[in-house]
Amino acid sequence: MTQARVLVVEDERIVALHLQQRLKTLGYDLASPAASGAQALERVRRERPDIVLMDIHIEGSMDGIETASEIHKEFHTPIIYLTAYSEAATLERARGTKPYGYLVKPFSERELHATIQMALERGAADAAIRESEERLHLALEAADMASWELDVSTRTVLHVGKAQRLFGHAHEVFSGSWDRFLEQVHAEDQHLVNRAFERTVDGHGLGVIEFRSVHPDGSVHWLKVQGRIFATDASRKKRLIGVIQDVTTRRHTETQLRQAATVFEATQEGILILDRQFVTLDSNRGYCAITGYEREDVIGRAAHLLSSPDLSVADWRIAQDTLAANRQWHGEIRGRRRNGEALPVLANIAAVADRHGQVSHYVALFSDLRAIRQAQDKFQHLAHFDPLTDLPNRLLAMDRLEHAMQAAERAQGKVGLLFVDLDHFKRINDTLGHSVGDDLLRTVATALRLAVRAEDTVARLGGDEFMVIVDRVEQPEAMGELADRVIAALSRPVTLSGMEFAISASVGISLFPEDGATQEDLIRAADTAMYAAKDAGRSGFSFYRKEMTERAALYMERDRDLRRGFEKGELRLHYQPQVDLTTGAIVGVEALIRWQHPIHGLRGADDVVPVAEKSRLIVGIGDWVLREACRQARAWRDAGLPPLRMAVNVSARQMDPDRLPDVVRQILEVTGLDPAALEIEITESTLQNDERCVATLRALKELGVSLAIDDFGTGYSCMGSLKSLPIDRIKIDRSFVQDIPHDRNDEAIAEAIIAMAHRLNLIAIAEGIETEDQKAFLQTQGCEEGQGYLYARPLTADAVAALLRERQRGDVPHGEERVGQGAEDAQA
């Protein structure tokens, strides 16, 4: 056994020398003696004695007790006091340093030896305990754990290690009270922890439990507690002893792993885990759903999408090189499903490195692009085809026309263009609804495709406008023949929604390069020709001619001029008297529009109405005519003049049952004119197959106004429907009056119209009476009223007022005057 080294601390040299001799005799190894506390500390640090024999009263600023305390703090070296002092105060101070012995001088050699031996044994045992505790402490540190202890019987918390770190509080905050400890537990977990503690009381022990702790800063930490019940002393008191570990990071990691696992399985994208040779280690349901393979068909095999025949060796080598360089690759792959169906996917492959930075495996994500590709194809189709008829739209038609023109230019050939517009399509939409209109457009599209060659392009430009592009036109006459076929195909009756329709179309024809060098010019030429076909009577075709563009330009100029004149207040109303053919009395006037042009002077209705009809300006002008005529009629009555019927012509474009009756009612209310004093005139052609027009007439009749058909005999009215209309008068057109009595046909027509009017209880009024012979014939046939130059030209409002005043005074006998001769040559 190695000799124990002893340090003697004694300020009396003789005593120290004697003591060292005795120790040497007893077989101890001696350190250099010390006489003061500072020397003692220096000897301990340098020579590391196994035991120190300490005198209490020594030299220097520290006595033996103070020196022993310092040695104990730094080295845990066992100390035995050798002193002549045994008073209580000294003993109490010495006890505080936890000495291993206390010998009062004088003492025997035997006592000294026995005390040293027992101190050495106790010191060895304490060192072993300290070493064990250190190992335990280091083990807890390595495991990131802390110890804890609780007295089961008293519910006293005896110890909690790392309390500040684990709970955010010092141990003293909840030391001694289980309830205080429970307060540090998250409210939702307190019941769980308390129940676990109660189980310990029943002898089942705590086992393992995880709960949350809320720190003062509001942060939440997960703690894992393990423990068992021990009886720690002779009294067999039960204590719950164990360890606490902060597992917040682990819990968060587990949550993330669960989330990742959920995403792995729930995502619709296909996911594969691959080894370094791209053999499948795992797959999710999404991959199986996309490819049609079962999981057992995938695991342990090369990824099907990465080994598809559609993926070339060169492309896959590029992908692998990119993975090696960047640890990531993404690109589109054309794969195959299990059933052989093409499967476009977007692949994203990422390399996963191990702790040494080496690739351990790959994660591949596959997104099914089928829906996207289908949507792109659909959008591409929608971008170039009309969704209603599935014909090429304007965009695609322009592209094909450009290609056809380029090819014709290279071959010095011709391209033909048909511009097809349905006649009266708006009427079908307005009366039968847009669904029937849509069905009709689809039927027209089918008929057009069947009427042309397969290589010709039929396109819908919008609304009821279609275009046919004809490549390689040999002779211009062939375009006329094709137009005839198109018109014939569209004129065949069709049945939609249980109703039969007979439609017609007007076609304009232009040719490249004669009629235009660009797409826009060629389409504009065909469009202009189409309008010429409509003006010629519809249901026909017209080739483009340069004069058409000149006429269109002239029309545009007139339209702009008329709009300016309307806005500047240049429009006027003149009034032509209507007389009783028997008495010659003035019974009414017809309002006729005039234009006081600042350059061209007074212009007639022929310079206003046709232009306004084409530009739809007629609705605004028509409203103005109604307001001005009703205002003037009311002004004459307020001036004391005899009552007159005010006849106002209304355009077919104004015959809207949802609008015109409201406009007339408001005008009558504002002007205060009696509704019976207003007569609305419509042309006979307006009545043809137009239910909305009939509905408008009935609504106007309910307001109390009278109704007349103007220009009767020129519009081919349906006699069966005429009898059901709320009409009061029929006006015989001037074309049937002007050749009476020289044309027997005109006489027969006028006679028939008058007879029909009487049979329908209607009043007949003739226009354009200019001679006594005409008047006499009409009067003989029973025509009640008339108007024309025989009686008066159209007059200004003041001239009409003057005429009426003359009639009131009796200055002019009825039937003998010729009013306004030479005053105005403009014709109604």
Side-chain angles (χ1 to χ4, degrees):
M1 178 178 179
T2 304
Q3 291 180 330
R5 176 174 293 182
V6 180
L7 170 62
V8 175
V9 183
E10 173 65 61
D11 60 350
E12 293 184 12
R13 304 296 188 273
I14 296 175
V15 175
L17 180 59
H18 177 67
L19 182 57
Q20 282 187 301
Q21 289 175 347
R22 294 172 66 184
L23 291 170
K24 191 173 183 179
T25 303
L26 292 172
Y28 294 102
D29 183 24
L30 298 176
S32 303
S36 64
Q39 286 182 348
L41 288 172
E42 188 275 331
R43 301 288 192 274
V44 171
R45 291 190 184 102
R46 182 163 53 86
E47 300 187 34
R48 298 295 177 92
D50 298 312
I51 197 166
V52 176
L53 302 180
M54 179 71 70
D55 186 17
I56 291 178
H57 290 284
I58 57 178
E59 296 176 356
S61 59
M62 294 185 296
D63 66 4
I65 295 176
E66 291 172 334
T67 303
S69 179
E70 291 299 321
I71 293 172
H72 180 72
K73 289 178 183 178
E74 189 172 349
F75 300 103
H76 299 287
T77 304
I79 296 175
I80 299 174
Y81 288 112
L82 304 177
T83 181
Y85 299 94
S86 59
E87 63 275 12
T90 301
L91 291 174
E92 187 63 28
R93 284 185 62 215
R95 187 180 297 113
T97 62
K98 300 180 180 178
Y100 281 67
Y102 196 99
L103 294 175
V104 180
K105 298 176 183 178
F107 48 79
S108 66
E109 191 174 284
R110 184 176 181 182
E111 287 177 298
L112 176 61
H113 182 60
T115 301
I116 291 174
Q117 290 300 310
M118 286 188 290
L120 289 172
E121 290 180 8
R122 179 184 163 194
D126 288 347
I129 291 173
R130 284 195 303 272
E131 185 178 353
S132 176
E133 289 178 346
E134 180 67 16
R135 284 197 298 269
L136 176 59
H137 173 74
L138 294 176
L140 290 175
E141 284 293 329
D144 198 19
M145 294 180 177
S147 61
W148 66 285
E149 185 177 350
L150 183 144
D151 189 323
V152 175
S153 60
T154 62
R155 298 195 176 196
T156 301
V157 178
L158 302 176
H159 167 71
V160 176
K162 300 182 182 178
Q164 186 69 45
R165 176 179 172 186
L166 295 172
F167 293 94
H169 291 291
H171 169 72
E172 290 74 21
V173 171
F174 44 78
S175 178
S177 169
W178 169 253
D179 292 334
R180 290 292 303 278
F181 175 84
L182 206 58
E183 291 175 1
Q184 313 310 312
V185 178
H186 193 287
E188 296 178 3
D189 297 342
Q190 287 178 2
H191 175 70
L192 177 68
V193 174
N194 197 53
R195 186 175 62 181
F197 173 74
E198 295 298 337
R199 285 172 59 85
T200 67
V201 177
D202 298 335
H204 299 290
L206 184 64
V208 181
I209 186 172
E210 292 187 7
F211 61 88
R212 289 166 291 176
S213 170
V214 183
H215 283 209
D217 61 2
S219 61
V220 176
H221 292 249
W222 278 93
L223 302 179
K224 178 180 180 181
V225 176
Q226 303 179 70
R228 288 180 56 192
I229 293 179
F230 296 92
T232 59
D233 52 29
S235 62
R236 309 302 292 175
K237 289 183 179 180
K238 292 183 179 180
R239 293 189 178 183
L240 190 57
I241 302 175
V243 293
I244 303 177
Q245 184 180 17
D246 189 323
V247 293
T248 304
T249 302
R250 193 207 76 204
R251 293 288 295 222
H252 288 169
T253 301
E254 289 175 352
T255 300
Q256 292 173 345
L257 288 174
R258 284 195 300 272
Q259 292 171 346
T262 301
V263 171
F264 181 78
E265 284 302 327
T267 185
Q268 294 182 351
E269 277 74 16
I271 301 177
L272 292 182
I273 309 298
L274 309 169
D275 66 13
R276 285 181 293 182
Q277 283 72 45
F278 298 96
V279 174
T280 305
L281 302 176
D282 198 4
S283 72
N284 71 336
R285 296 172 187 162
Y287 184 84
C288 296
I290 291 174
T291 62
Y293 288 97
E294 298 297 332
R295 192 167 181 270
E296 52 269 23
D297 300 327
V298 174
I299 304 300
R301 299 183 180 181
H304 295 87
L305 291 179
L306 300 181
S307 56
S308 169
D310 295 327
L311 180 62
S312 69
V313 175
D315 288 343
W316 179 228
R317 174 54 59 191
I318 292 173
Q320 289 178 302
D321 292 343
T322 303
L323 270 173
N326 303 328
R327 298 289 178 96
Q328 192 169 9
W329 174 84
H330 67 89
E332 187 173 334
I333 293 176
R334 296 287 297 180
R336 295 280 171 180
R337 286 172 50 82
R338 185 173 189 173
N339 60 8
E341 176 189 355
L343 177 62
V345 294
L346 180 64
N348 282 275
I349 306 176
V352 179
D354 58 21
R355 62 181 180 176
H356 302 297
Q358 300 300 314
V359 174
S360 60
H361 56 282
Y362 297 94
V363 176
L365 177 69
F366 301 97
S367 300
D368 190 348
L369 298 180
R370 283 178 298 172
I372 295 176
R373 291 291 175 265
Q374 290 171 2
Q376 289 175 339
D377 292 343
K378 183 176 180 180
F379 290 149
Q380 186 73 5
H381 187 81
L382 290 175
H384 293 91
F385 288 84
D386 173 51
L388 178 64
T389 62
D390 204 36
L391 292 176
N393 61 11
R394 179 181 292 272
L395 180 65
L396 182 56
M398 295 292 281
D399 184 65
R400 291 187 179 179
L401 179 58
E402 178 68 21
H403 281 85
M405 292 167 65
Q406 291 174 354
E409 190 173 21
R410 289 191 298 270
Q412 297 184 341
K414 297 180 183 294
V415 175
L417 192 67
L418 299 185
F419 198 102
V420 183
D421 185 90
L422 303 184
D423 297 328
H424 305 297
F425 177 73
K426 184 177 184 299
R427 183 181 300 169
I428 295 175
N429 255 352
D430 292 343
T431 56
L432 300 178
H434 289 280
S435 61
V436 174
D438 289 347
D439 289 341
L440 181 58
L441 290 174
R442 282 188 284 266
T443 302
V444 168
T446 300
L448 284 173
R449 276 193 291 252
L450 294 175
V452 302
R453 301 175 303 178
E455 60 266 29
D456 297 334
T457 294
V458 179
R460 183 189 176 205
L461 301 183
D464 60 341
E465 294 179 339
F466 297 84
M467 185 168 73
V468 180
I469 303 171
V470 182
D471 294 335
R472 299 183 303 279
V473 176
E474 299 296 336
Q475 297 295 331
E477 295 79 6
M479 293 298 297
E481 296 172 0
L482 176 60
D484 271 336
R485 288 202 306 273
V486 167
I487 293 170
L490 297 183
S491 64
R492 296 188 186 100
V494 295
T495 301
L496 300 172
S497 300
M499 293 175 286
E500 187 173 80
F501 294 90
I503 60 173
S504 63
S506 299
V507 180
I509 305 172
S510 63
L511 292 169
F512 172 82
E514 293 92 329
D515 300 329
T518 67
Q519 301 160 290
E520 292 77 10
D521 291 343
L522 204 61
I523 293 174
R524 189 181 303 112
D527 187 33
T528 301
M530 182 272 295
Y531 277 108
K534 283 189 179 292
D535 291 341
R538 303 178 188 268
S539 192
F541 68 86
S542 176
F543 280 91
Y544 172 76
R545 296 188 304 278
K546 184 178 179 180
E547 310 87 75
M548 295 178 179
T549 300
E550 294 172 352
R551 285 199 301 270
L554 179 61
Y555 161 74
M556 294 297 294
E557 181 181 349
R558 288 180 177 178
D559 178 66
R560 287 194 298 270
D561 200 16
L562 178 58
R563 289 180 183 274
R564 179 203 56 76
F566 184 38
E567 294 172 358
K568 297 291 185 181
E570 295 173 3
L571 298 185
R572 305 282 187 271
L573 285 186
H574 286 193
Y575 306 91
Q576 186 172 36
Q578 297 175 333
V579 301
D580 186 310
L581 293 183
T582 302
T583 66
I586 298 177
V587 294
V589 293
E590 179 180 3
L592 301 170
I593 194 165
R594 297 291 183 265
W595 182 4
Q596 190 63 52
H597 198 281
I599 298 176
H600 304 293
L602 191 68
R603 306 177 72 168
D606 288 344
D607 290 321
V608 177
V609 175
V611 177
E613 285 276 6
K614 284 187 177 182
S615 66
R616 297 184 182 272
L617 188 60
I618 191 65
V619 175
I621 292 177
D623 290 351
W624 175 83
V625 170
L626 277 168
R627 278 196 306 273
E628 180 62 18
C630 290
R631 183 201 63 77
Q632 186 59 62
R634 179 66 189 185
W636 286 333
R637 290 293 296 129
D638 292 342
L641 297 175
L644 293 176
R645 181 180 67 244
M646 177 63 75
V648 179
N649 287 278
V650 172
S651 165
R653 293 187 182 276
Q654 293 178 263
M655 296 297 288
D656 184 349
D658 298 325
R659 183 182 181 278
L660 184 61
D662 288 337
V663 171
V664 172
R665 181 174 60 254
Q666 292 172 9
I667 291 174
L668 291 173
E669 291 175 354
V670 171
T671 60
L673 183 66
D674 182 0
L678 176 64
E679 182 168 87
I680 301 294
E681 294 185 1
I682 62 170
T683 59
E684 183 183 9
S685 59
T686 304
L687 293 173
Q688 296 182 33
N689 299 322
D690 196 332
E691 295 182 4
R692 290 175 63 81
C693 178
V694 175
T696 305
L697 290 176
R698 288 173 178 159
L700 290 171
K701 193 64 178 177
E702 290 177 1
L703 295 177
V705 304
S706 61
L707 303 172
I709 297 180
D710 195 13
D711 301 335
F712 191 82
T714 62
Y716 309 102
S717 293
C718 175
M719 299 297 109
S721 63
L722 188 62
K723 66 181 181 180
S724 63
L725 296 177
I727 301 298
D728 300 289
R729 283 175 180 76
I730 290 179
K731 297 186 73 174
I732 304 172
D733 187 69
R734 70 179 65 251
S735 62
F736 302 126
V737 174
Q738 61 186 4
D739 289 333
I740 293 174
H742 309 295
D743 191 320
R744 297 299 302 166
N745 290 330
D746 285 349
E747 287 183 344
I749 293 173
E751 181 181 355
I753 293 174
I754 295 168
M756 181 194 68
H758 292 165
R759 294 295 298 270
L760 295 175
N761 295 319
L762 303 178
I763 296 173
I765 177 172
E767 294 181 304
I769 301 175
E770 298 181 358
T771 68
E772 289 289 348
D773 289 342
Q774 293 169 349
K775 170 192 170 184
F777 176 81
L778 293 169
Q779 192 173 359
T780 301
Q781 300 303 320
C783 183
E784 289 89 348
E785 299 175 358
Q787 67 184 85
Y789 286 2
L790 178 65
Y791 300 101
R793 291 178 180 274
L795 306 172
T796 65
D798 291 342
V800 172
L803 175 61
L804 293 176
R805 288 191 182 96
E806 289 178 1
R807 291 292 185 95
Q808 282 181 322
R809 293 194 303 267
D811 294 342
V812 181
H814 292 342
E816 296 182 3
E817 72 280 21
R818 295 292 183 268
V819 180
Q821 297 298 319
E824 183 187 348
D825 292 331
Q827 198 159 350

